């Protein structure tokens, strides 16, 4: 009897443990390990591509900094022998620092620091001195006498690019350019590149790692290459990318948790292992005891391991089938996530081709790059469609375009692309514009059918007219950037009519009619701005644009004349000290007009959104400020009229104005020119001295800066009598 029980026990061991062990091995090697490897490979590839793109952007930024630094050095070298920087140099450096500070999204501030006996800083706002203690602190941070010309310096929450412009050892003087890079924006860009729920850390300085998300990251120091790591009992996909920045090595770590993706599979694997080991242990114990005790049912053991009180204990097979289906569903979700990564890669590659990042690659190399990023089997040529939603509504009511409309716009185009093309990608290129790059049958009839469907669905859902430009022949990858610009230009050459339009560049191209620009109408507009006359301004604007519309009726000519008008107004603003931040930029205005297919709406937009606000700013700031400035200058002339240096140039420099602007505004505000005004002041003093004193006329003329002959002619010209006759006539009283 015991032998029979032992035999049954061994058979139970074989029938239960071996299949479970086989399932454990199969699950581990066929599902879990491939999942980890696939996720790790995608993570490494995506981050490597993104870091390479960021590296290119930072290289361009370093070239920009060094260009400005060389320009600053040339400016400084011209005045190196002077004890102090002249005003014109400081003004020029401040302007260039302003442009540098606004040249790139990563740049937050730029300054030039002079480490001399009287240290000072030049910024975009001007110049100001610094104390010796501040100078010492900055010397510790930025090392102005170091032999390295260019250097990145990481100071806590701040990251600087430093260029040492000048070092003079004889008088221990140094000048450097320091540009502060927005480290938080740099971290945001890296986090945007990273996988969801992941983390990015950067080592700008050897041995020191920084992250925006977490402070407990010192453990990353021991990893030198990309791999899967385990930390705090969790699995992570770790990528290590290095960038060489001016002989400095930046290490960028990207950490993405993999346990969330493979967690269901791991739980089932561990469950199988526990069940297997438990069954083996139980069976061995039973075998050792010669089955002296009653055998505990296998289902009870599973119940203790799993702990699922709600499952059907009589149907263990269906229970495992359910768990397996859950695992397959998790894998399906992983495939969807992988596809999303693929689409993101496609968009990133096409976007960078359009922006000119790969101009150094041949057509074959670009094709290989696409095929490496999930465009499998892609041929050399493709079709391009530039789709724009216009502002003119189909209904009489004005229809506003919001985020939900753009969301519907993208989804409608995506659905139709999936229906008509083998491979495709859509890229947002403006407020309500999409570029579609696709590989399809390349038949004109098919493309026109796709365009008609797009127009029909967008008219029905969004309620706006649509303009579509497309290439009439397939485009090579190396020509994508050029063809894209042609498609955008084609939109600008379309006719100003309220209906759906589709065309190629050749269909609508017409040379710009330069004679459509009216100088007389421009003068009326400028006069309306200066006078603050809204009715006159609106009439002039309407006349200006209607004449263009009657002559051309193409959007391109309207954009052309708008650009020229803007340049004239911008010149007027610069001459009178108005900042470009106080009115709409040309880019915003032209972008807005390019989506309006109605001449009256263009006239209303230009008048109400640009010219009227500009006129208000002009009358509030320019008129008022210029009159106050002229009164201040007149008071100065009345006090300094005896100064031999008094001249238009001297006063202009004193009040930080150009001589041309001073002469123009003096005539405008005082109804006389500068020289005549000074003469009037001097002649008034001369008349007072002739009556109230006994000084000789020659002495009075000399005191006022005139010789006798010129003084006599000038006095007689203004008063009608000679100085002697004037004294004789007025002494009687």
């Amino acid at each position: 009897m015991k032998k029979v029980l032992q035999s049954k026990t061994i058979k139970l061991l074989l029938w239960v443990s071996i299949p479970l062990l086989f399932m454990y091995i199969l699950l581990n090697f066929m599902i879990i390990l491939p999942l980890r490897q696939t996720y790790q490979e995608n993570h490494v590839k995506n981050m490597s591509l993104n870091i390479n793109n960021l590296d290119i952007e930072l290289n361009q930024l370093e070239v920009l900094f060094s260009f400005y630094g060389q320009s600053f050095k040339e400016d400084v070298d011209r005045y190196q022998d002077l004890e102090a920087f002249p005003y014109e140099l400081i003004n020029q450096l401040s302007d260039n620092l302003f442009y540098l500070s606004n040249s790139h999204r990563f740049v937050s501030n730029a300054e030039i620091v002079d480490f001399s006996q009287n240290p000072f800083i030049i910024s975009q706002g001007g110049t100001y001195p610094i104390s010796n203690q501040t100078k010492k602190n900055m010397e510790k941070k930025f090392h102005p006498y170091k032999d390295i010309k260019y250097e990145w310096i990481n100071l806590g929450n701040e990251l600087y690019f430093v260029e040492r412009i000048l070092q003079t050892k004889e008088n221990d003087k140094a000048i450097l350019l320091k540009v502060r890079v927005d480290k938080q924006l740099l971290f945001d860009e890296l986090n945007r590149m990273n996988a969801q729920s992941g983390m990015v850390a950067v080592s700008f300085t050897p041995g020191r790692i920084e992250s925006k998300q977490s402070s407990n990251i010192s453990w990353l120091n021991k990893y030198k290459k990309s791999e899967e790591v385990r930390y705090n009992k969790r699995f992570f996909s770790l990528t290590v990318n290095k960038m060489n920045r001016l002989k400095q090595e930046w290490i960028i770590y990207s950490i993405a948790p993999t346990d969330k993706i493979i967690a269901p599979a791991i739980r089932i694997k561990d469950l199988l292992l526990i069940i297997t080991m438990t069954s083996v242990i139980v069976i061995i114990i039973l075998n050792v005891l010669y089955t002296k005790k009653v055998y505990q049912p296998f289902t009870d053991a599973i119940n203790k391991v799993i702990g699922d009180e709600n499952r059907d204990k009589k149907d263990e097979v269906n229970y495992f089938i359910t768990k397996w289906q859950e695992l397959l569903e998790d894998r399906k979700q992983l495939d969807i996530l992988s596809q999303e990564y693929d689409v993101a890669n496609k968009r990133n590659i096409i976007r960078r081709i359009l922006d000119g990042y790969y101009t150094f690659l041949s057509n074959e190399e670009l094709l290989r790059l696409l095929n490496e990023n999930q465009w499998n089997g892609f041929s050399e040529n493709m079709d391009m469609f530039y789709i724009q939603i216009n502002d003119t509504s189909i209904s009489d009511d004005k229809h506003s375009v919001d985020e939900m409309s753009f969301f519907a716009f993208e989804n409608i185009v995506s659905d139709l692309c999936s229906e008509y093309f083998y491979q495709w990608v859509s890229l947002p290129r403006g407020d309500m514009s999409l570029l579609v790059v696709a590989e399809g049958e390349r038949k004109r009839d098919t493309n026109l059918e796709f365009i008609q469907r797009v127009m029909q669905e967008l008219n029905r859902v969004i309620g706006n007219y649509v303009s579509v430009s497309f290439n009439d022949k397939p485009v090579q990858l190396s020509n994508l950037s050029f063809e894209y610009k042609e498609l955008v230009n084609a939109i600008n050459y379309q006719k100003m009519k309220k209906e759906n339009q589709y065309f190629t560049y050749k269909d609508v191209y017409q040379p710009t009619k330069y004679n459509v620009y009216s100088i007389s109408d421009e003068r009326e507009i400028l006069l309306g701005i200066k006078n603050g006359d809204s009715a006159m301004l609106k009439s002039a604007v309407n006349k200006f644009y209607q004449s263009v519309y009657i002559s051309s009726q193409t959007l391109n000519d309207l954009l052309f004349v708008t650009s020229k008008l803007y340049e004239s107004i911008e010149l007027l603003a610069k001459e009178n000290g108005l900042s470009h931040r106080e009115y709409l930029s040309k880019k915003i205005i032209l972008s807005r007009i390019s989506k309006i297919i109605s001449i009256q709406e263009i006239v209303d937009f230009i008048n109400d959104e640009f010219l009227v606000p500009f006129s208000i700013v002009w009358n509030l700031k320019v008129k008022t400020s210029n009159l106050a400035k002229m009164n201040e200058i007149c008071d100065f002339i009345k006090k300094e009229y005896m100064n031999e240096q008094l001249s238009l140039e001297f006063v202009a420099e004193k009040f930080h104005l150009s001589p041309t602007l001073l002469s123009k505004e003096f005539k405008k505000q005082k109804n006389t020119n500068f020289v005549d005004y000074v003469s009037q002041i001097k002649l008034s003093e001369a008349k007072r001295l002739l009556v109230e004193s006994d000084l000789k006329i020659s002495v009075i003329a000399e005191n006022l800066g005139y010789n006798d002959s010129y003084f006599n002619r000038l006095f007689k010209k203004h008063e009608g009598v000679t100085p002697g006759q004037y004294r004789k006539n007025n002494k009687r009283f």
Side-chain angles (χ1 to χ4, degrees), residues 65-66 69-70 149-150 161-165 175-177:
F65 294 161
S66 62
Q70 183 63 31
K149 186 172 183 179
Y150 306 102
F161 176 91
V162 172
E163 179 174 352
R164 297 169 177 89
I165 297 176
I175 299 175
L176 63 80
L177 166 69

Side-chain angles (χ1 to χ4, degrees), residues 415-667:
D415 291 343
L416 293 175
C417 285
S418 300
E419 182 178 341
Y420 281 88
F421 305 115
Y422 303 138
Q423 299 186 88
W424 59 274
V425 65
S426 64
L427 301 173
R429 304 304 286 179
D431 295 336
M432 285 298 284
S433 302
L434 277 179
L435 175 68
V436 175
V437 180
E439 179 185 21
E441 296 181 0
R442 296 199 176 86
K443 295 181 179 179
R444 184 176 178 86
D445 292 342
T446 302
N447 288 345
L448 293 181
E449 182 181 343
F450 166 72
I451 291 171
Q452 293 292 348
R453 288 283 306 282
V454 167
M455 290 179 171
Q456 177 183 350
E457 294 299 322
L458 291 178
N459 292 161
R460 180 177 61 84
V461 176
I462 299 180
N464 282 60
Y465 289 113
V466 180
S467 296
V468 181
S469 60
F470 64 101
N471 53 298
D472 55 346
K473 295 181 180 179
V475 183
Q476 285 193 339
L477 291 172
S478 56
N479 291 331
L480 275 186
S481 180
F482 172 77
E483 289 293 338
Y484 165 67
K485 293 176 182 177
E486 296 295 294
L487 294 184
V488 176
N489 287 336
I491 292 288
N492 294 338
Y493 285 115
Q494 65 181 301
K495 290 292 184 180
M496 300 284 291
K497 53 185 180 181
K498 293 184 178 182
E499 60 184 47
N500 293 326
Q501 301 180 64
Y502 65 90
F503 36 76
T504 67
Y505 181 70
K506 295 179 181 178
D507 292 336
V508 295
Y509 172 72
Q510 294 179 0
T512 299
K513 298 179 180 178
Y514 294 96
N515 58 349
V516 299
Y517 192 85
S518 172
I519 298 297
S520 60
D521 290 343
E522 177 197 283
R523 290 172 180 168
E524 288 188 30
I525 292 173
L526 296 180
L527 185 60
I529 290 173
K530 295 177 181 179
N531 293 337
D533 189 338
S534 59
M536 175 185 178
L537 184 59
K538 186 172 184 179
S539 175
V541 173
N542 188 67
K543 179 183 175 185
F544 179 79
Y545 279 98
Q546 289 294 344
S547 64
V548 178
Y549 179 69
I550 293 171
S551 173
S552 172
Q553 293 189 8
T554 63
L555 183 60
N556 188 66
D557 286 340
L558 287 170
L559 292 171
F560 168 74
V561 299
T562 301
S563 179
K564 286 200 64 175
L565 177 63
Y566 187 94
E567 291 171 0
S568 299
I569 293 174
E570 187 177 36
L571 178 62
L572 181 68
K574 287 181 179 180
E575 289 179 347
N576 291 275
L578 281 182
S579 170
H580 68 279
R581 298 178 180 177
E582 298 182 80
Y583 50 90
L584 285 178
S585 69
K586 182 195 287 188
K587 180 178 179 181
I588 293 175
I589 292 174
L590 297 183
S591 174
R592 183 75 174 85
I593 291 177
S594 66
K595 295 179 176 61
I596 303 177
I597 312 299
S598 167
I599 184 63
Q600 191 55 51
E601 290 184 15
I602 291 177
V603 170
D604 292 341
F605 168 73
I606 291 293
N607 185 71
D608 299 341
E609 303 297 330
F610 174 47
L611 295 178
V612 169
F614 183 86
S615 177
I616 293 173
V617 172
W618 170 277
N619 284 276
L620 285 177
K621 292 194 173 184
V622 175
K623 269 193 171 181
T624 305
S625 62
N626 285 350
L627 179 59
K629 178 70 75 175
M630 289 304 108
N631 290 335
E632 184 181 356
I633 290 174
C634 290
D635 291 340
F636 176 78
I637 293 173
K638 291 175 182 177
K639 294 179 181 178
E640 299 292 330
Y641 70 91
M642 298 289 287
N643 191 339
E644 295 180 356
Q645 294 182 338
L646 188 67
S647 65
L648 179 68
E649 290 75 13
F650 176 79
V651 176
E653 182 179 357
K654 179 73 175 178
F655 287 88
H656 309 297
L657 299 171
S658 70
T660 303
L661 178 61
L662 175 58
S663 177
K664 179 180 177 181
E665 286 300 320
F666 208 98
K667 179 72 174 177

Side-chain angles (χ1 to χ4, degrees), residues 68-80 85 89 92-93 96:
Y68 271 94
Q70 183 63 31
S71 174
F72 294 148
K73 184 178 186 308
E74 292 173 359
D75 293 336
V76 171
D77 286 343
R78 286 184 291 156
Y79 300 95
Q80 187 173 350
F85 288 173
L89 174 59
Q92 180 179 345
L93 293 176
N96 288 338

Side-chain angles (χ1 to χ4, degrees), residues 206-238:
R208 176 182 171 190
I209 301 179
E210 302 175 48
S211 172
K212 191 174 181 180
Q213 296 98 322
S214 174
S215 58
N216 185 21
I217 53 176
S218 59
W219 57 277
L220 290 173
N221 269 317
K222 63 181 180 180
Y223 295 102
K224 305 301 180 184
K225 62 179 183 178
S226 300
E227 58 185 302
E228 187 182 58
V229 301
R230 189 169 185 175
Y231 179 72
N232 285 343
K233 300 180 180 181
R234 294 185 64 189
F235 287 98
F236 295 89
S237 172
L238 171 66

Side-chain angles (χ1 to χ4, degrees), residues 51-72:
I51 295 302
N52 286 339
N53 293 334
L54 181 62
D55 186 40
I56 292 174
E57 188 171 2
L58 290 176
N59 283 336
Q60 295 172 344
L61 199 58
E62 290 172 349
V63 170
L64 177 67
F65 294 161
S66 62
F67 169 80
Y68 271 94
Q70 183 63 31
S71 174
F72 294 148

